[in-house]
Amino acid sequence: MKKSIEIVGLPIVCISEGKEAGEVKSLVINPEKGTVDFLTVEHAEWQVSVKAIPFKKIVGIGEYAVTIESENSIIDLNEIPIANQLVNKRIKINDTRVMTRKGQLLGEANEFFVDDDSGAILGIQVGQKDRQVVIESADVLTFGKDILVVKEDVHYYTAPEQLEEEPEELAEETPEALEGVVEESPALTPAEPPSASMLSFSNGYSRQPMDEIKEKQLQLLEGKRILKDIYTKSGHILVKKDSLLSAEAIRHAQEEGPGIIVELSMNVEM
């Protein structure tokens, strides 16, 4: 499971060619199915047409890259009418208002969770007064351009970040219970067991700490010879060809973002 923010901006790596083919620009949502059907691709050389990757063509979504078999997995949206229609609908989730069928405003969606194997949207994170909660996607009636419409009896679950900060049992809360909630509100006991998809928010959403990942990258790359000049996003030279990678250079690449560290990793003599 991935947050949308963890996917947007990732480099796209072609396995068979061993090269980078752009980066993820946006997630294209299918409002009827409640799924992410395509990832649009941003590439400096593609200025006219819009290109995308069907979600089913993705091999994997990792911490630092989206992998596909080859560049043939990237399609031109003008050649796929259905994909083009979805893009033109401009359905988004982040920064949209969340409202019940009868017009009760529940808050604002600020993130959503995607099954990185199927593309299914698992849940929506909503800002509710002084807390972040998650609504199961099964409770969403309409994925609209400006508003998400949900069932009247929708249930909330504690957002992953708050579960990490306050290790307690997964709490399910009704809109009525949260209405008027202030700082000192006790967690409610779930009226029924959370579904399997929602249990993944408390049990399955446990990423490897970023500091640990960066240390492993450092151990893998330090002292390796670089095969080409590597530049920062601003165009300055980061590492010169044939030089040996220092810890400082690797940490600088990590600070520059996923695209730079992936380029660095793909151009060292192993």
Side-chain angles (χ1 to χ4, degrees):
M1 180 176 68
K2 297 284 185 184
K3 285 183 177 182
S4 67
I5 196 173
E6 295 172 336
I7 303 175
V8 174
L10 283 179
I12 299 163
V13 175
C14 303
I15 297 172
S16 60
E17 293 98 338
K19 70 175 185 178
E20 190 177 328
E23 64 180 41
V24 179
K25 183 177 182 181
S26 65
L27 281 60
V28 181
I29 296 167
N30 185 323
E32 280 73 38
K33 296 181 179 178
T35 57
V36 174
D37 283 7
F38 299 89
L39 303 182
T40 62
V41 180
E42 186 169 41
H43 196 290
E45 296 178 4
W46 301 334
Q47 300 294 334
V48 180
S49 61
V50 178
K51 296 184 183 290
I53 305 167
F55 206 94
K56 62 184 179 181
K57 293 286 189 180
I58 295 171
V59 175
I61 302 176
E63 292 287 347
Y64 281 91
V66 170
T67 56
I68 55 178
E69 285 293 349
S70 72
E71 203 164 7
N72 292 333
S73 299
I74 302 175
I75 62 171
D76 191 320
L77 289 187
N78 293 325
E79 299 173 1
I80 311 293
I82 294 177
N84 208 15
Q85 289 169 16
L86 287 178
V87 171
N88 290 331
K89 283 184 177 181
R90 300 184 184 278
I91 299 298
K92 65 174 185 174
I93 293 177
N94 296 343
D95 302 320
T96 60
R97 287 169 290 172
V98 181
M99 188 176 291
T100 67
R101 190 170 178 272
K102 292 186 177 180
Q104 180 183 359
L105 184 63
L106 303 182
E108 186 175 273
N110 50 44
E111 187 51 272
F112 62 100
F113 302 85
V114 180
D115 185 319
D116 46 329
D117 290 323
S118 67
I121 296 171
L122 299 176
I124 317 295
Q125 185 166 302
V126 180
Q128 175 87 43
K129 295 187 182 295
D130 62 342
R131 62 175 65 191
Q132 295 290 319
V133 295
V134 175
I135 293 176
E136 193 169 0
S137 61
D139 286 335
V140 178
L141 298 175
T142 306
F143 288 93
K145 184 178 179 181
D146 302 308
I147 295 175
L148 288 175
V149 182
V150 299
K151 295 177 181 177
E152 206 64 33
D153 58 348
V154 64
H155 292 87
Y156 295 101
Y157 299 86
T158 308
E161 290 81 359
Q162 293 185 202
L163 283 169
E164 293 171 3
E165 294 171 6
E166 302 174 8
E168 56 187 25
E169 286 192 19
L170 189 64
E172 179 183 341
E173 304 169 5
T174 63
E176 292 77 13
L178 281 178
E179 189 173 7
V181 164
V182 289
E183 295 178 2
E184 299 295 330
S185 177
L188 302 182
T189 304
E192 58 187 48
S195 67
S197 63
M198 289 309 297
L199 278 173
S200 67
F201 286 104
S202 60
N203 299 330
Y205 193 76
S206 55
R207 291 187 302 149
Q208 196 175 10
M210 189 57 67
D211 288 345
E212 186 177 330
I213 293 171
K214 287 183 176 180
E215 284 304 314
K216 287 185 177 179
Q217 290 174 343
L218 184 62
Q219 294 170 16
L220 177 66
L221 297 173
E222 188 174 10
K224 296 291 193 300
R225 188 171 68 87
I226 195 73
L227 301 177
K228 60 174 278 190
D229 289 342
I230 304 294
Y231 294 87
T232 64
K233 289 180 179 178
S234 58
H236 296 99
I237 189 76
L238 175 64
V239 188
K240 290 185 177 180
K241 179 182 177 181
D242 292 326
S243 62
L244 299 181
L245 281 173
S246 65
E248 183 182 359
I250 297 167
R251 293 197 187 282
H252 192 170
Q254 290 169 336
E255 291 171 2
E256 285 287 318
I260 303 300
I261 193 67
V262 167
E263 185 180 9
L264 194 70
S265 302
M266 292 177 64
N267 289 282
V268 294
E269 187 176 62
M270 303 301 288

